[in-house]
Amino acid sequence: MTDLSYSEEEQEFRARLRTWLAGALPGLPPKPSPDDWPGRRAYDTTWQRMLYDAGYAGLHWPVDAGGQGATPTRQLIFLEETEKAGAPYVGANFVGLLHAGPTVAAEGTAAQRSRWLPPVLRGEEIWCQGFSEPEAGSDLAALRTRAVRDGDHYVVSGQKIWTSHAEVADWCELLVRTDPEAPKHRGISWLAMPMDAPGVTVRPLRTLAGSTEFAEMFLDEVRVPVSHRVGEENDGWRVTMVTLSFERGTAFVGEVVACRRTLAALAADARATGRWDDPVLRRRLGRLNAEFGALWRLTQWNVSEAQRSGGVPGTGGSVFKLRYSQARQELYEAAAEVLGADASDLDREWVLDRLSSLSYTIAAGTSQIQRNIVAERILGLPKGR
Amino acid sequence: MDFSLSEDQRALRSGMRELLTGRFGRERMRAAAESGEGVDRGLWAELGAAGFFALRLPEAEGGVGLGLPESVLLFEEAGRVLLPGPLVATHLAAGAVKGAAEGRAVVTVADGNGPVADLGDADGLLVLGDGVRLRAGEPLRDTVRAAVPVRSLDPLTPLHRPAGPVAGTEPLPSLSPHSLRREGALLTAAEQLGSAARTTEMAVQHARGREQFGAAIGSFQAVKHLCAEMLVRAELARAAVYAAAVTGDPAEAAGAKLLADEAAVRNARDCLQVHGGMGFTWEADVHLHLKRAWLRSGRWLTAAEAEEALAAGLGAADRADGGPDGSGGS
Ligand SMILES: Cc1cc2nc3c(=O)[nH]c(=O)nc-3n(C[C@H](O)[C@H](O)[C@H](O)COP(=O)(O)OP(=O)(O)OC[C@H]3O[C@@H](n4cnc5c(N)ncnc54)[C@H](O)[C@@H]3O)c2cc1C
C-alpha cells in the first residue's frame, strides 16, 4: 500500500503511448459490422500489426518469446491507455494473445515458441480455444474428443462447442483425450490444431444477441502432428491450468476501464434527459461508481501482487472475476433504466452490450465454478463429492 | 506503482495484532460486552504508548510520523477484535486535544443529531459543524449530566442522547470538518474491513469443523458459496479502503465506506447463517460483529450520503474526455 503513483519511466511510457495512439487511431479503417467476419479479422489483425510495428505487442511476454519482457505494471498502463483512447478491443486476437500465446511461451519448446508466437504478435495468425464440449463444460476434464496415435500424428475425432472466433481462426488450442483408461484429469493432452486441416468442420451458432460469436466444431479423423503437442502426453490438464490462470489474471483490465467510461456516459445522459432527478437511479449509479472504482484498485492490487511473486497471476483473478461479471451486468441494467422505453431499441448504444453482458457470469468459468475455486483453493474448504 | 504492503507496514500490522490479542483477547472482549464497562483506561494508555493515536503526528510533535495507510492497517486490526471506545475520534483529535495523542484523553464526536457514543467516558467532545469545536471540562460534564442514556444496540458501544443541540466551546482551527469527516469515514471503513475479514475466518473455521450428513458442512456448495462471497466482499472493500488511504481522495473514501459497510454487515449475517442455531445465541461472537457493523454503518457517512457523493462526480464533465480516469495519479 505504498505507492499508487507511477514511476517516471512508467509515466514516460504512458505519455509516449498516448502520443502514439493519438496519431495512429485516426488512420484505422472503419469498424466492420459485427457479422462481417472476414472484415473483423482484417480489422483486428491490422490493429495488432500496428501495435507490433510500434513496439507495443506482447509487452509483458518474455523477450525470447518475442515480447518486450516488461513488467505487468507496464501492461496495465498499456491496457488502460488503449481503452481510454477508444482503441480497438483485442477482438479476434484474444485467444492468441491472452491464452494460447502465454501458454506456449510458458510450456512450449524453443521450436514451438518460434513457430507460433511471432505470428500472434504480428497479427498474422488467429487462434481459437477448443476446450468445451457438448457434454463437458464446467466439468471440463470430462472431455471426450479423442486423439489416437498413428506414427508421428494424432488422429483426432470428436466435437467442440462454444468456440469463439472459430470461423476466422488459423489455429486451435485443442484439448483431447489421449488416454481413455486414465483418471479423467490424467489422460488429456494440449494440441495446436491447424483449422484448415481436412476433417475440421465449423458451424456457426447464433447468440442471443443475434450475432455469431461462437461456433460448433466437428472433428472427423483430423491428423495433427505429434510435434504440435505442448507439454507431455497426458499432462494437458496441468498445461491447461497455466492457461486458465492467464485468462483470469489480467484479461479484464481494459474492460474495467471501459465500464467506468460507460458509467460516466450513462450519468451524462441521465443528466441531459432529466432522469438524474430520480434519486433511486442516481444512487444506483453512485454505487456502481464505488464498485468499478474498487474493481480498478483490485486490479492494481492483483498486478502488484503478481509482480511481487514473479509475474504469475494468482487466484486473485477468481475473486475479481466474480465481482466484475456481476457488476458489469448491473451496469447495463442501470443503462436500461436510463434509456427507459428506448431500452428495447437494438440500435441504441448499450442495448447490445446489455445482451452481451449476460455471458460474463458464464464464459471463462461460471460464477458457481469460480465460487468453488475461491472456497476450495483460497479458503481451503473441503472439496465436495 | 506498487500497491502491495511494504515490509514496514506488514511489521506494523503484526505488531498491533500481537498487542491486541495479548491485551484484548476474546475473554476480555466478552467481559467488556457483558459489563458494558466502557473505555478501559489502561488499554487506552497502552494504545497511546504504542503510537495508535499519535501515528500521524509529525515526529517533531512527539508523533510517529506515519500516514493514513498505516492508520488504516491499525484500525483494521482494531475492527477484527471489536476493540471498543471512540478510537476514530481520539485518533483524529491527536495533536489538537491535549492528552489524546498519548491515550490519556478519551475524545468522542457529535455530528448532527442522534445519540453520541462513549459520551460518559469522554474527556473531550468534538462538535462538527462549519468548523470543529471542542467541548470539555465543566460544560462537557453538564452535557453528560443532562443527557439520557440510550439502551445501545451494540453492547460494546454505550450511547447517550444529549438533552438538546450540543455546542462546542473552544474552536480547534487546526482541524477541518471536511477532512475530519472524510478521514473518520475511512478509518471507520477500515474497522469494518477488519470485522468483515474476521467474520469470514470465523465462518470458514466453523464450516471446516462442523459436520452434518456425515460431512463437514464446508463441503456443501451452498455453504461454500456463502463463504466465497464473503471473501470477495472483504477483498473488494480492502482494495477500496487501502487505495483511498493512499490517494486521500474524498470520492474514494466514500466508496470505501460504502463497500466496507456492506462487507461488514453482510459478512456478519452470512457468518451467522453458517453457524446455524448457534449463530443466534448470545454466546457466539457473531452478533457482536453484526451489531457493531450496523452501528458503524450509520456513522460518519451513511450509504445514502456515500452514494449521492459518488453520483455527484459522475458524468458531469464533458463525455468526450472519457470520464473518470482511474489512472491513480499518473
Ligand atoms: C460467450 C461465450 C464464449 C465462449 N467461448 C468459449 C471458447 O472460445 N472456447 C471454449 O472452449 N469454451 C467457450 N465458452 C464455454 C464456456 O467456458 C462454458 O459455457 C462454461 O464453462 C460453462 O459450461 P457449460 O456451458 O457446459 O454449462 P454447464 O457446465 O452445463 O453449467 C450449467 C449450469 O450448471 C452450473 N454448474 C455446473 N457444474 C456445477 C457445479 N459443480 N457446481 C455448481 N454449479 C454447477 C453452472 O454454473 C451453470 O449455471 C464460451 C461460453 C460463452 C458463453
Side-chain angles (χ1 to χ4, degrees), chain B residues 26-76:
Chain B
R26 177 162 192 272
E27 302 285 293
R28 186 75 200 83
M29 183 273 286
R30 292 299 311 208
E34 293 310 330
S35 65
E37 66 198 22
V39 174
D40 172 346
R41 291 274 174 170
L43 177 54
W44 209 253
E46 275 183 57
L47 288 171
F52 189 97
F53 301 115
L55 197 74
R56 289 190 295 140
L57 284 187
E59 287 175 67
E61 293 168 34
V64 188
L66 292 174
L68 210 44
E70 286 77 17
S71 296
V72 152
L73 292 177
L74 297 190
F75 276 82
E76 183 183 342

Side-chain angles (χ1 to χ4, degrees), chain A residues 161-178:
Chain A
I161 198 166
W162 320 130
T163 319
S164 303
H165 310 125
E167 281 181 277
V168 293
D170 305 288
W171 292 93
C172 177
E173 51 167 356
L174 189 75
L175 290 186
V176 294
R177 184 159 301 286
T178 32

Side-chain angles (χ1 to χ4, degrees), chain A residues 24-37:
Chain A
L25 291 176
L28 270 173
K31 247 193 159 111
S33 82
D35 276 330
D36 172 12
W37 271 102

Side-chain angles (χ1 to χ4, degrees), chain A residues 37 40 161-167 202-208 211-217 359 362-363:
Chain A
W37 271 102
R40 281 177 65 176
I161 198 166
W162 320 130
T163 319
S164 303
H165 310 125
E167 281 181 277
V202 172
R203 197 172 72 91
L205 294 162
R206 200 168 145 90
T207 72
L208 55 72
S211 58
T212 53
E213 283 303 319
F214 48 34
E216 280 180 300
M217 214 162 49
S359 75
I362 298 171

Side-chain angles (χ1 to χ4, degrees), chain B residues 138-177:
Chain B
E138 206 44 47
L140 176 58
R141 279 190 284 280
D142 288 342
T143 302
V144 176
R145 271 192 293 272
V148 182
V150 173
R151 256 167 42 83
S152 176
L153 167 75
D154 172 18
L156 286 157
T157 310
L159 296 173
H160 279 78
R161 192 181 299 282
V166 189
T169 50
E170 182 192 330
L172 298 175
S174 65
L175 298 181
S176 111

